[in-house]
Amino acid sequence: MRFNSFYKQNKKRTEMIKTKQKNQEDFSLELFTELNENLHNIKKLLDEPSDLMIREFTIGNTDHRCAIVYIEGLTDKLLIDTSVIKNIQMETEDSDKKLADKANDVVDQFYNKVLSIGKVEKVLSLDQVSYAILSGNTALYIDGTDQVLIIGSKGWENRSIEEPISEALIRGPRDGFIENLQTNTVMIRRRIRDANLRFKSYQVGRRSKKDLVVAYIDGIINPDIVKEVNRRLKTIDLDDAPETGFIEEWIEDNFLSPFPQFSHTERPDKAVAALMQGKVVILLDGTPFILMGPLTFGDTLQSPEDYYERWIVGSLLRMLRYLGAFIAVFLPALYIALVSFHPGMIPSKLAFSIAASREGVPFPAFIEAFLMEITMELLREAGIRLPKPIGQTIGIVGGLVIGEAAVAAGFVSPIMVIVVAITAVSSFSMPSYSTALAFRMIRFAFMGAAALFGLYGIILAYIAVNIHLVNLRSLGFPYTTPFAPSFLRDWRDLVIRSPITTLTKRPKYMQTDDEERMGNKKGGQ
Amino acid sequence: MKSFEYGDEEIGEIEIFFIVASFMIAVGVLTLPRLLAESTQFSDGWVSLVIAGIISISFIWVTAKLASRFPNQTFFTYASLICSKPVAAVFTIGIAIYFVALTAYETRVLAVITKQYLFDQTPLEVIALLFLLVVVYAVSGTRVGVIRLNILFLPIILVIAVLLMLLNIQYFEVKNLTPAFTTSWAGYWKGTTESFFSISGFAGLLFYMKFVNRPKKAPKYAMFGVCVPLGLYLLLYVMAIGVFNTETTATLVYPTVELAKEAEIPGGFLERFESLFLTIWIMAIFNTTSLAYDVSLMAFCSVFGKVKKTTFIFVLTPIIYLVAMFPEDVGEVELMAKFLNYPILIISIIIPVTLLLLAKLRGIKGNG
């Protein structure tokens, strides 16, 4: 019965929607020659929103009427006032200028002579008009013609270019992408003055109709990548894509994998480096995060700073990060395995002090580790949600006070607190946030394996993760390359970063069209 | 999608090198010094080992040469070209059954060693089952995936083996090695046969060669591949003799593990190096097992073309598990190893040599 009534209600609602649509049908989706009719249609189509601006006026000193339509706030008002309205009103001011007789010719006259604006185009359907208005352009209607001029007048408030918060560097450019697509493409253009830099536009979102740009350098990138990205992007059928995360999830190779298959960044220098390696970059309007692909495991532990600092420092930092990744994944699991299954492996003095510190702790090592890790994850999550100043306080309160109190209360052992802290610090050292997330997830799997089967469990879990990784692909590229399939040449820029002068070629695994990265001249001296 | 040159059906000669090397490095390493010490005196076992190595290298060359004559063809296809379809089918299925048995054997030995050194309270059956499940996960992925795992793991395995030897250098006594050349001919012969089985040709090459994109180079790299385990065995053997002397080595069941027991990590931040060593060595055994299973799947699939790989996995895995659990005790496991040795002679010597000779005599060549 209840289902029935629900169904009835639902039916009622759909009928209501239908009648609403019917009411709206007192307007037409076509363009007419009559100005009033056109204005009525556009008003009805958008349901007379408060921010819709319609300004009617006459051309020069004639009585010929025209109107401009735009959305307030989305357009550059100054531009409209000085380059559109003023110009049109001044037209035919001088006696030798004359307005064309036919309205269609007026459109051409405006296009050629009157509008002092770079981007103007003629459209012939209401659909295009409404899309143009909604994306911040201005529509110019002229009485007597069904042609509408669309004036490029996008201009809205933007966040200014700031240092990217999620990817801070000591040394390196300080600018970060912002939410405006055009600004972002400009930032890339400013860095690469190559005629082969390509920006391919797409539109995603059935309703939001957002702009998406695929950037690559023709002549470097393997054309198959472009084809493949194009194929995958074409399949996107969402009503909105608020963030590149939506795009990523739609086009990635394996959505079941914990590992990211695209890297994201808000640093233009990183994007440019990716382009130079023969990768593809995907930018979306409305988000500062761009996608780069294909991604391999080695990339996830690299930071642009590796290249900005001298090579020895860069190499050492990279190795440090590999160590960090190892600790972030394995340390709690190893603690559990050693304490509960292989206490003999711990040096006897340390074993005694661990045993002494675990005296009175009511839980087995796994529960202890699990509780502390969960607490740590909660703290981290809370720290992100809270406003910045409080976030730090919570970090200190949580980290120090809870840790201290938990130990004092005999809830966990001090060694466990050390283990958890080192693990957390290590996972913060990951340059890529999404990789750090992946490591955080599989850490718990390893802890479970260690709790059940000790070292044997850990090694089996490790093998299983590797099996997953060798079968994983990013845009069709093996995730584990250049480790396996091995490209020894690429190892120069993998765990270590050898001097710039020796990195004469682009990564081999990317199979680029142009391998040479520099001329034959030797650097130095 | 089509993925550029990384097709799942293509591997390079480097991969051949890696799979040959890592197929041989498995449980044999753990017992080999004992087998050699039992039959030869002082450090004379190296002679046997080198002879066995040379024989093995020459037969791997024959195997690779045969397979590279027929690029992009399965063993079954070219074997039927050379010696009629039914005979080829018998050969292929025989090889498949051998590798199934090998998978079972490796699983069992792994379980035994793990139980003995790492994990004494868990039942053998559970240990073996877990391991087998991971192997099944590996082989049910892509074939290239299995090979890439070998590439990823082999360096780690070699590093831990080298570390094992470095940590034992302080106990090494040169006087244990001399006098040289005191063994009888019979002793050398026995040592050679014993060690040959640990380093014998990898018949899986007959199957993997299908995927090699430059088959001309492959025989050379396959021979290099044998050199890695040969070098490793030589070093480990000499190390074991130098540390324990011949008599003691002959009495140790797993002399290599005992070597790890002796080792002490400098700084002493971890004790019981043998646990760490065995944990890493599980990867070596995993490599061999997954390759063996993969080869048998490939063999079955080539004969019964219509049946899917997953079907074979579903059928074979329980069989492998049962066979692995069949031996009652360690003695029977040793017996199983002995039984598994005889087919090696047929698979990696008789089959490749006859087929290559027949192919040469009858002038049969692949289309490459």
Side-chain angles (χ1 to χ4, degrees):
Chain A
M1 280 312 284
R2 277 187 63 189
F3 276 108
N4 224 350
S5 70
F6 175 75
Y7 174 74
K8 264 182 196 159
Q9 268 182 9
N10 218 11
K11 208 173 168 190
K12 236 186 217 167
R13 258 193 72 209
T14 40
E15 268 166 16
M16 263 170 65
I17 292 170
K18 264 185 196 162
T19 49
K20 202 178 169 196
Q21 275 173 349
K22 227 173 232 170
N23 283 342
Q24 280 178 347
E25 271 162 21
D26 57 0
F27 66 92
S28 162
L29 276 171
E30 284 162 46
L31 288 174
F32 297 95
T33 48
E34 186 65 31
L35 177 65
N36 286 338
E37 209 165 341
N38 275 336
L39 292 180
H40 171 79
N41 279 341
I42 188 81
K43 262 193 239 168
K44 283 290 170 199
L45 177 68
L46 302 175
D47 209 9
E48 297 186 54
S50 54
D51 54 356
L52 183 70
M53 181 73 191
I54 300 183
R55 168 84 163 86
E56 284 181 68
F57 51 93
T58 56
I59 303 170
N61 47 17
T62 66
D63 285 337
H64 204 111
R65 284 167 60 234
C66 66
I68 53 169
V69 181
Y70 61 87
I71 301 260
E72 253 178 312
L74 280 182
T75 38
D76 185 349
K77 256 188 204 163
L78 191 70
L79 183 87
I80 297 292
D81 291 350
T82 56
S83 309
V84 180
I85 301 183
K86 192 174 169 193
N87 284 10
I88 296 175
Q89 286 178 334
M90 293 299 176
E91 183 64 19
T92 67
E93 200 75 331
D94 307 331
S95 53
D96 53 330
K97 279 192 193 171
K98 257 188 86 178
L99 192 67
D101 295 333
K102 281 185 185 163
N104 281 355
D105 295 338
V106 176
V107 174
D108 288 331
Q109 191 183 354
F110 276 18
Y111 183 86
N112 291 327
K113 294 188 176 142
V114 180
L115 297 172
S116 49
I117 281 176
K119 194 178 170 186
V120 178
E121 60 181 321
K122 217 185 280 179
V123 298
L124 295 164
S125 82
L126 188 60
D127 241 14
Q128 288 168 297
V129 173
S130 75
Y131 173 65
I133 293 175
L134 290 173
S135 30
N137 294 324
T138 302
L140 172 63
Y141 285 96
I142 296 160
D143 194 22
T145 172
D146 57 355
Q147 298 177 357
V148 178
L149 283 174
I150 298 296
I151 300 159
S153 63
K154 285 183 195 174
W156 52 81
E157 289 304 311
N158 270 320
R159 189 164 63 96
S160 60
I161 296 175
E162 284 163 18
E163 193 181 350
I165 302 171
S166 65
E167 290 164 278
L169 285 189
I170 304 288
R171 182 171 178 181
R174 295 257 182 251
D175 55 345
F177 287 126
I178 61 167
E179 284 78 2
N180 186 359
L181 179 67
Q182 215 172 357
T183 319
N184 293 349
T185 51
V186 165
M187 279 174 171
I188 294 179
R189 273 249 191 254
R190 259 186 22 215
R191 287 171 159 84
I192 307 177
R193 285 172 199 157
D194 188 340
N196 291 319
L197 175 61
R198 301 275 181 270
F199 288 121
K200 282 266 162 69
S201 294
Y202 293 81
Q203 213 177 58
V204 292
R206 270 198 238 174
R207 283 180 187 276
S208 65
K209 294 194 179 122
K210 271 196 187 136
D211 291 323
L212 180 146
V213 164
V214 173
Y216 56 90
I217 300 179
D218 212 12
I220 294 182
I221 197 168
N222 186 325
D224 287 344
I225 302 180
V226 182
K227 260 185 241 158
E228 180 62 19
V229 169
N230 177 47
R231 186 184 71 75
R232 293 191 190 184
L233 284 175
K234 282 271 155 63
T235 63
I236 294 183
D237 190 11
L238 293 157
D239 61 352
D240 179 29
E243 221 276 336
T244 34
F246 279 64
I247 310 291
E248 181 183 356
E249 214 168 311
W250 195 287
I251 64 174
E252 69 190 358
D253 296 59
N254 181 354
F255 59 85
L256 292 173
S257 170
F259 292 92
Q261 291 137 52
F262 282 91
S263 52
H264 61 75
T265 183
E266 38 178 344
R267 302 191 62 90
D269 54 329
K270 224 171 158 177
V272 167
L275 287 173
M276 287 296 181
Q277 284 194 331
K279 296 188 177 178
V280 73
V281 163
I282 301 173
L283 304 98
L284 180 70
D285 193 25
T287 172
F289 288 97
I290 60 129
L291 294 180
M292 299 175 293
L295 173 70
T296 62
F297 185 77
D299 295 333
T300 61
L301 292 171
Q302 296 181 0
S303 157
E305 222 168 7
D306 301 345
Y307 300 94
Y308 304 154
E309 289 292 346
R310 299 188 54 247
W311 74 275
I312 304 178
V313 182
S315 302
L316 288 174
L317 286 177
R318 258 191 207 170
M319 287 189 241
L320 192 67
R321 262 180 245 127
Y322 273 87
L323 179 70
F326 178 82
I327 292 176
V329 173
F330 287 101
L331 190 66
L334 282 175
Y335 173 81
I336 295 170
L338 291 189
V339 167
S340 30
F341 288 94
H342 318 281
M345 279 180 78
I346 310 170
S348 34
K349 274 189 185 169
L350 181 61
F352 283 132
S353 69
I354 289 181
S357 74
R358 280 185 50 78
E359 184 97 1
V361 175
F363 309 115
F366 172 67
I367 302 288
E368 192 190 0
F370 189 75
L371 280 177
M372 281 312 278
E373 284 294 338
I374 287 288
T375 315
M376 193 65 220
E377 297 297 328
L378 280 174
L379 278 175
R380 202 185 283 207
E381 190 62 16
I384 296 171
R385 300 287 156 256
L386 285 169
K388 249 189 209 164
I390 312 177
Q392 284 176 356
T393 326
I394 278 290
I396 296 165
V397 171
L400 288 181
V401 179
I402 295 185
E404 189 70 41
V407 170
F411 196 62
V412 293
S413 64
I415 296 210
M416 188 66 236
V417 176
I418 298 175
V419 166
V420 170
I422 294 177
T423 313
V425 170
S426 302
S427 66
F428 279 126
S429 73
M430 298 295 104
S432 146
Y433 181 65
S434 38
T435 314
L437 284 177
F439 286 160
R440 271 157 77 179
M441 274 189 284
I442 59 174
R443 169 161 78 230
F444 283 93
F446 275 97
M447 282 162 63
L452 288 172
F453 300 105
L455 276 181
Y456 183 61
I458 292 180
I459 195 74
L460 286 191
Y462 175 72
I463 293 174
V465 167
N466 271 291
I467 296 173
H468 171 69
L469 283 176
V470 293
N471 286 315
L472 188 62
R473 286 161 176 281
S474 162
L475 277 176
F477 282 73
Y479 203 67
T480 43
T481 189
F483 290 108
S486 329
F487 294 99
L488 284 181
R489 194 181 85 198
D490 298 341
W491 286 30
R492 280 186 241 168
D493 187 13
L494 190 64
V495 182
I496 60 160
R497 197 278 281 173
S498 47
I500 292 285
T501 44
T502 64
L503 300 174
T504 51
K505 301 209 166 142
R506 282 178 233 287
K508 195 171 184 183
Y509 69 84
M510 288 299 307
Q511 316 221 344
T512 50
D513 272 5
D514 172 28
E515 293 224 306
E516 300 298 325
R517 189 139 89 176
M518 47 186 83
N520 289 324
K521 273 183 200 159
K522 288 270 172 272
Q525 275 91 57
Chain B
M1 65 168 280
K2 192 189 163 291
S3 44
F4 322 117
E5 273 183 41
Y6 300 116
D8 273 350
E9 301 297 315
E10 216 172 80
I11 53 177
E13 59 275 1
I14 303 269
E15 275 84 357
I16 287 294
F17 167 80
F18 271 101
I19 55 177
V20 169
S22 67
F23 179 79
M24 289 176 190
I25 302 175
V27 291
V29 183
L30 306 178
T31 51
L32 184 71
R34 168 169 55 97
L35 297 176
L36 281 173
E38 276 170 357
S39 44
T40 58
Q41 288 180 342
F42 305 103
S43 62
D44 289 348
W46 70 267
V47 180
S48 301
L49 201 48
V50 168
I51 295 171
I54 290 170
I55 299 173
S56 173
I57 288 176
S58 45
F59 284 113
I60 202 103
W61 181 82
V62 170
T63 311
K65 204 71 190 165
L66 168 68
S68 63
R69 254 177 107 89
F70 304 94
N72 302 325
Q73 289 186 33
T74 62
F75 172 72
F76 180 58
T77 325
Y78 62 76
S80 356
L81 272 181
I82 300 170
C83 55
S84 81
K85 218 162 185 177
V87 181
V90 169
F91 280 172
T92 316
I93 292 176
I95 293 176
I97 291 173
Y98 165 73
F99 277 104
V100 165
L102 186 66
T103 311
Y105 169 70
E106 298 277 341
T107 308
R108 179 58 188 259
V109 174
L110 173 110
V112 169
I113 299 172
T114 308
K115 190 172 166 60
Q116 188 172 342
Y117 288 97
L118 270 181
F119 216 49
D120 48 4
Q121 278 160 21
T122 310
L124 205 70
E125 288 78 11
V126 178
I127 299 178
L129 181 64
L130 279 174
F131 179 74
L132 197 57
L133 286 178
V134 176
V135 172
V136 167
Y137 179 34
V139 293
S140 50
T142 56
R143 181 143 295 141
V144 169
V146 175
I147 295 167
R148 284 178 192 154
L149 280 174
N150 284 282
I151 301 177
L152 285 179
F153 291 163
L154 189 65
I156 306 178
I157 294 158
L158 292 180
V159 164
I160 197 82
V162 170
L163 191 67
L164 169 76
M165 287 181 259
L166 286 180
L167 293 178
N168 266 303
I169 277 192
Q170 49 179 326
Y171 307 111
F172 189 83
E173 286 182 40
V174 184
K175 71 174 193 312
N176 285 345
L177 301 182
T178 47
F181 306 116
T182 50
T183 314
S184 65
W185 290 111
Y188 282 130
W189 173 244
K190 191 159 177 277
T192 306
T193 49
E194 291 282 10
S195 48
F196 176 71
F197 294 120
S198 314
I199 200 170
S200 55
F202 171 40
L205 212 54
L206 290 172
F207 295 85
Y208 280 116
M209 210 62 129
K210 179 194 167 198
F211 306 107
V212 180
N213 46 17
R214 285 176 291 267
K216 284 258 155 58
K217 283 183 173 178
K220 200 169 85 188
Y221 279 84
M223 282 155 70
F224 289 152
V226 184
C227 294
V228 173
L230 181 61
L232 182 74
Y233 288 4
L234 274 174
L235 285 171
L236 273 174
Y237 166 71
V238 173
M239 206 73 206
I241 300 295
V243 173
F244 296 124
N245 80 39
T246 320
E247 289 83 38
T248 325
T249 309
T251 58
L252 299 168
V253 184
Y254 300 113
T256 312
V257 184
E258 298 301 322
L259 269 182
K261 261 191 177 168
E262 291 290 313
E264 255 177 48
I265 298 173
F269 70 90
L270 213 61
E271 280 179 10
R272 296 216 187 158
F273 183 70
E274 82 272 13
S275 300
L276 183 66
F277 175 75
L278 271 176
T279 309
I280 303 292
W281 214 254
I282 289 173
M283 284 156 76
I285 301 175
F286 166 82
N287 273 349
T288 308
T289 318
S290 59
L291 279 177
Y293 200 172
D294 197 40
V295 169
S296 67
L297 285 174
M298 237 190 299
F300 276 125
C301 283
S302 66
V303 179
F304 305 101
K306 279 181 188 158
V307 190
K308 273 194 211 152
K309 189 167 101 174
T310 34
T311 321
F312 279 118
I313 293 176
F314 273 114
V315 175
L316 287 179
T317 308
I319 297 176
I320 291 173
Y321 185 64
L322 289 178
V323 173
M325 289 300 115
F326 186 68
E328 292 276 321
D329 50 30
V330 181
E332 288 189 23
V333 175
E334 291 267 300
L335 207 64
M336 191 176 174
K338 287 237 161 62
F339 278 128
L340 278 174
N341 281 344
Y342 300 116
I344 290 183
L345 292 175
I346 303 172
I347 289 173
S348 55
I349 297 182
I350 297 177
I351 292 183
V353 171
T354 12
L355 285 184
L356 186 64
L357 281 178
L358 276 177
K360 286 236 166 177
L361 284 177
R362 298 169 63 179
I364 303 169
K365 256 193 174 174
N367 41 8

